[in-house]
Amino acid sequence: MKRDLISMDDLTLEDIKEFLQLAATVEELPAGEKMTKLVGKILMVMFFEPSTRTRLSFESAMCRLGGSVIGFNHQMATSVAKGESFIDTIHTVENYADIMVIRHPREGTGRLASETSRIPVINAGDGTNQHPSQTLLDLYTIQKFFGGIEGLKIAFVGDLKYSRTVHSLIRALMKFKDQDFLLVSPDTLRLPEYLKRAEKQDTVRFHETASLKEAVSWGDLIYMTRIQKERFPDLVEYEKVKDSYCIDEKMLEHAPECLRVLHPLPRVNEISYSVDRTTYAGYFEQVGNGLIMRQAILLQLLGVAI
Ligand code: CP
């Protein structure tokens, strides 16, 4: 049966742990040994929305495993611009590659592609819904920083309403035991209620505040997010909240030593550059882990052992 990566809701805790273990193995493997793993395989990248990290790290991951990459990063460069449907596009490109990675502004397109395609599909972000490869690299980063994922106190800050990285990560973390989440957002960007429903409610506790200062002294991890202008139906509403949270070196002066600040990136103004030189900054290590985890994802979905 073909394997896809569409939503964290599709993965069991064991599946997630398998990805984390595989990423650790990939990280240890010498570059020369990795270069032969996916020789002859082709990755199709289909980006209907802008991206730096996700597209380029998948491309780099495929190249580092010896495979090849084809694709596009703008729908206007394809026959979609002439009116071709998404489904016909999938039925066409599945002939040209062994695995595809898709980013699209509309929720559910990853699922639609997976139900249409004969080859494995990776959802690289579908609107405000999910971004599972980001979540797996976030979990890998958290595990490396803290030695495990259970029993952590994690503050999510910023756009909790539209952020697919937050939605995916919260759904995944809820599969691990004993989690405390502090939700820090403007009133209009609060986390949707449906995302808080867990199978085992007793293992997850949600707390809320509007204060970033409280988050700094509260827990183990701050997961910052960008207020995403492109998601707002009304730009007046965006203007009201765009500068709600900015963390800088001074705010972190009295933070616990173990605190780490993560961010899926790109950032706009929510993390000052002054934080980059502190020990709290974890977001560029996160970027590096993205390359490792995406190699693990390609190997796992293509069924290639290492
Ligand atoms: N984190 C993330 O998805 O970044 P890009 O939009 O640059 O791919």
Side-chain angles (χ1 to χ4, degrees), residues 128 155-164 166-167 170 182-186 188-192 195 207-209 223-228:
T128 64
F156 291 90
V157 182
D159 177 359
L160 309 189
K161 180 177 180 181
Y162 298 119
S163 171
R164 57 194 174 204
V166 168
H167 299 172
I170 282 185
L182 181 63
L183 306 178
V184 189
S185 72
T188 53
L189 294 178
R190 292 171 75 183
L191 187 75
L195 289 165
H207 315 269
E208 280 193 65
T209 179
Y223 193 91
M224 292 295 290
T225 61
R226 175 174 65 95
I227 309 284
Q228 303 171 90

Side-chain angles (χ1 to χ4, degrees), residues 10 18 30 37 76 79 112 129 136 151-152 155 175-176 188 192 202 206 224 228 235 239 266 284 290:
D10 299 338
E18 216 174 302
K37 295 295 172 191
M76 295 313 282
S79 287
L112 178 60
N129 185 32
L136 289 171
L152 294 174
K175 296 175 194 282
F176 292 82
T188 53
D202 55 331
F206 284 94
M224 292 295 290
Q228 303 171 90
L235 285 185
E239 288 297 325
F284 288 116

Side-chain angles (χ1 to χ4, degrees), residues 26 56-62 64 137 286-296:
V26 165
L56 295 177
S57 63
F58 265 118
E59 292 189 4
S60 177
M62 194 61 173
R64 285 176 190 275
L137 79 87
Q286 211 177 342
V287 170
N289 290 332
L291 179 61
I292 297 161
M293 180 50 82
R294 285 175 174 133
Q295 290 175 73

Side-chain angles (χ1 to χ4, degrees), residues 145 249 252-262 275-283:
F145 278 138
E249 196 179 9
L252 290 164
E253 255 171 18
H254 303 294
E257 216 172 289
C258 66
L259 183 79
R260 289 291 175 276
V261 178
L262 297 187
V275 178
D276 297 2
R277 56 176 175 259
T278 71
T279 54
Y280 302 113
Y283 30 93

Side-chain angles (χ1 to χ4, degrees), residues 261-275:
V261 178
L262 297 187
H263 191 311
L265 303 177
R267 68 176 148 182
V268 180
N269 60 355
E270 58 278 7
I271 302 178
S272 157
Y273 288 105
S274 67
V275 178

